[in-house]
Amino acid sequence: MASLISVSIDVSKLPKEKFVKGKKGVYYKFTIGVNDTTNQYGQNVSMWDEQTQEEREAKAKKNYLGNGKVFWTDNNIVRAEPKTEEPIIQDDQEDGLPF
């Protein structure tokens, strides 16, 4: 585990039109930013509505939902990448196995 983050949000700021019904429930997408420095309240985390690419390109104002702080870390946060499937080796490919 690389970090634990505590965030409080103002749920009254969640626009109802951004809730999405999925197969297993109702979802809401948001973005969390972790800063290198803390503010005057000891917070270094901000949370806002996820923006579309068009909103980001238009430099639309972010709808901030809340703030928080990293309260534990092992200083090893890595970027999440989608898992890729292992390549399938065809019979005619050399796989280095003796059989």
Side-chain angles (χ1 to χ4, degrees):
M1 183 179 324
S3 295
L4 296 173
I5 298 171
S6 173
V7 178
S8 295
I9 66 168
D10 182 350
V11 295
S12 68
K13 290 185 177 182
L14 299 177
K16 304 292 185 256
E17 65 273 8
K18 288 200 170 188
F19 283 86
V20 178
K21 177 107 173 87
K23 291 182 182 179
K24 297 184 179 183
V26 179
Y27 299 89
Y28 191 90
K29 288 189 170 186
F30 52 85
T31 303
I32 295 176
V34 180
N35 297 315
D36 294 331
T37 59
T38 58
N39 64 15
Q40 67 268 28
Y41 306 107
Q43 299 169 324
N44 62 339
V45 176
S46 296
M47 184 173 151
W48 59 91
D49 278 332
E50 182 179 80
Q51 292 183 312
T52 64
Q53 182 174 352
E54 293 80 19
E55 289 171 325
R56 289 190 304 273
E57 289 172 354
K59 306 275 190 232
K61 184 179 177 182
K62 293 177 184 173
N63 179 26
Y64 282 92
L65 303 171
N67 296 306
K69 62 183 177 181
V70 175
F71 66 90
W72 182 87
T73 183
D74 65 0
N75 296 319
N76 189 25
I77 296 176
V78 296
R79 181 178 174 176
E81 296 290 343
K83 292 183 178 180
T84 58
E85 293 184 22
E86 293 293 322
I88 298 174
I89 299 174
Q90 302 295 327
D91 288 337
D92 59 343
Q93 288 181 321
E94 180 61 41
D95 61 8
L97 299 174
F99 48 89

